[in-house]
């Protein structure tokens, strides 16, 4: 059960990845992924294509999404797995969460113009695959293209991370709503890459406690966003909070992403994999 090559977190050009859902499926299968989920940001528009591609490649599939949430003044990501991608409440919640991205992006463009990067909104749009889902990643790709920064990570560090000149605060979904949309559609909610949030221990405890109280059931333990020390730390947290453990690369692009699809260590033996609780939701080829 632990040793299955599951990759339950990655992105296509339906959000801020660069490959089509079909191309992500092919790359996952080529890398030996046996259970796959495409988890585009705030969007399930690629789910039927991803499932069809997985089926044609002989790969088991779980519908997925990564929902943007505001908690304790910071952005937290909640991955949903194994839900019905046509559930009307989930679709409406995601549409509401996406709403406001264009306004925010125009504001990011205006802030970047003040620090000497004009026309960034128009520039970012050239990289957008889904007009409803303009993201900071698209700005990062544009700013690399014009030669201001060497790579997207550098753009975040200098311009787009919280506190930097191009950062525009935004209010995303509520934690309770995101968990409810996922569970209401028959899925399991998972805290994405908890090591990335820079929370104090008290804030992190509050996130895990409230997430559980709302019906959340899982946490990412092995992810491309965690260090080896964080695999161990969040395996301990999974046990302490009685949460299922997930595994996913957070792959976005062959050259940008340092962790390729399926190229992750196995989950530590002491945790229960999230797919153990999703056996009846897995779409088998
Ligand atoms: P947004 O949803 O528009 O706020 O964009 C968030 C996305 O930006 C994340 O999903 C990542 O893909 C990307 N991102 C965030 N921080 C970084 C970073 N330091 N380096 C590269 N990409 C990042
Ligand atoms: Mn992303
Ligand atoms: Mn994320
Ligand atoms: Mn992600």
């Amino acid at each position: 059960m632990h040793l299955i090559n599951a990759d339950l977190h990655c992105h296509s050009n339906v959000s801020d990845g660069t490959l089509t859902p079909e191309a992500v499926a092919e790359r996952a299968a080529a890398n030996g992924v046996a259970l796959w989920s495409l988890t585009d940001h705030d969007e399930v528009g690629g789910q039927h294509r991803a499932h069809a591609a997985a089926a044609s490649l002989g790969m088991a599939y779980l519908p997925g999404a990564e929902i943007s949430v505001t908690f304790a003044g910071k952005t937290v990501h909640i991955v949903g797995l194994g839900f019905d991608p046509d559930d009307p409440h989930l679709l409406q919640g995601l549409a509401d969460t996406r709403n406001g991205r264009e306004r925010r992006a125009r504001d990011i463009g205006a802030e970047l113009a003040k620090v000497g990067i004009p026309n960034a909104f128009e520039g970012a749009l050239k990289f957008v695959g889904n007009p409803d889902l303009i993201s900071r990643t698209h700005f990062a790709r544009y700013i690399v293209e014009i030669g201001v920064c060497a790579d997207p990570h550098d753009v975040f560090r200098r311009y787009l991370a919280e506190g930097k000149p191009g950062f525009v605060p935004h209010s995303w979904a509520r934690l309770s709503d995101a968990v409810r949309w996922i569970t209401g559609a028959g899925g399991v909610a998972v805290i994405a890459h908890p090591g990335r949030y820079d929370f104090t221990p008290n804030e992190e405890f509050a996130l895990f406690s409230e997430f559980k109280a709302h019906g959340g059931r899982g946490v990412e333990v092995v992810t491309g966003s965690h260090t080896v020390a964080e695999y161990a730390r969040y395996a301990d947290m999974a046990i302490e909070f009685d949460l299922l453990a997930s595994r996913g690369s957070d792959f976005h692009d062959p050259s940008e992403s340092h962790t390729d699809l399926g190229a992750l260590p196995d989950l530590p033996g002491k945790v229960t994999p999230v797919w153990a609780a999703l056996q009846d939701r897995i779409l088998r080829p």
Side-chain angles (χ1 to χ4, degrees):
M1 187 66 84
H2 282 77
L3 300 182
I4 188 175
N5 190 344
D7 193 328
L8 305 180
H9 187 152
C10 62
H11 300 274
S12 75
N13 65 357
V14 171
S15 65
D16 63 347
T18 57
L19 305 181
T20 61
E22 291 80 8
V24 181
E26 275 174 35
R27 194 176 177 99
N31 287 0
V33 172
L35 174 62
W36 176 52
S37 182
L38 177 69
T39 56
D40 277 312
H41 295 284
D42 306 327
E43 173 68 276
V44 289
Q47 289 306 306
H48 289 291
R49 288 168 64 190
H51 175 215
S56 75
L57 292 157
M59 213 165 30
Y61 189 72
L62 280 168
E66 182 178 20
I67 305 181
S68 311
V69 160
T70 300
F71 181 84
K74 289 201 174 109
T75 300
V76 165
H77 287 166
I78 301 296
V79 164
L81 297 171
F83 49 75
D84 167 9
D86 301 316
D87 180 87
H89 293 111
L90 173 69
L91 290 172
Q92 187 60 54
L94 294 178
D96 292 345
T97 306
R98 288 192 300 273
N99 198 4
R101 273 191 181 265
E102 180 178 338
R103 175 75 258 160
R104 169 194 187 231
R106 288 185 186 279
D107 292 346
I108 291 174
E111 293 304 314
L112 289 171
K114 290 182 195 163
V115 293
I117 305 176
N119 305 317
F121 174 73
E122 294 75 12
L125 269 187
K126 291 191 300 173
F127 291 86
V128 169
N130 170 1
D132 282 351
L133 215 292
I134 178 163
S135 122
R136 284 183 291 163
T137 315
H138 302 113
F139 282 90
R141 292 189 183 125
Y142 173 66
I143 291 169
V144 171
E145 184 195 57
I146 61 175
V148 170
C149 291
D151 57 65
H153 191 73
D154 192 34
V155 184
F156 276 88
R157 198 176 51 78
R158 285 167 61 190
Y159 293 104
L160 296 178
E162 192 170 349
K164 300 300 172 181
F167 181 80
V168 171
H170 193 75
S171 199
W172 301 107
R174 283 194 298 223
L175 179 64
S176 55
D177 289 337
V179 173
R180 187 168 45 80
W181 299 332
I182 294 163
T183 55
V188 166
V190 174
I191 300 172
H193 44 62
R196 263 204 6 215
Y197 301 130
D198 277 335
F199 280 138
T200 64
N202 279 346
E203 286 169 335
E204 187 174 71
F205 184 87
L207 171 65
F208 276 65
S209 306
E210 289 187 32
F211 173 74
K212 273 217 72 158
H214 294 308
R217 291 179 61 196
V219 60
E220 286 185 348
V221 170
V222 174
T223 133
S225 301
H226 280 174
T227 61
V228 172
E230 285 168 336
Y231 301 159
R233 169 164 162 64
Y234 290 103
D236 288 346
M237 290 281 278
I239 286 165
E240 183 186 339
F241 282 86
D242 192 22
L243 290 168
L244 301 158
S246 194
R247 175 180 190 266
S249 58
D250 209 355
F251 175 86
H252 285 71
D253 170 81
S255 56
E256 287 170 15
S257 297
H258 56 81
T259 304
D260 205 342
L261 288 152
L264 295 156
D266 292 322
L267 287 173
K270 62 182 178 180
V271 298
T272 305
V274 67
W275 51 90
L278 283 164
Q279 289 300 308
D280 62 338
R281 310 296 302 178
I282 294 175
L283 304 170
R284 293 187 169 82

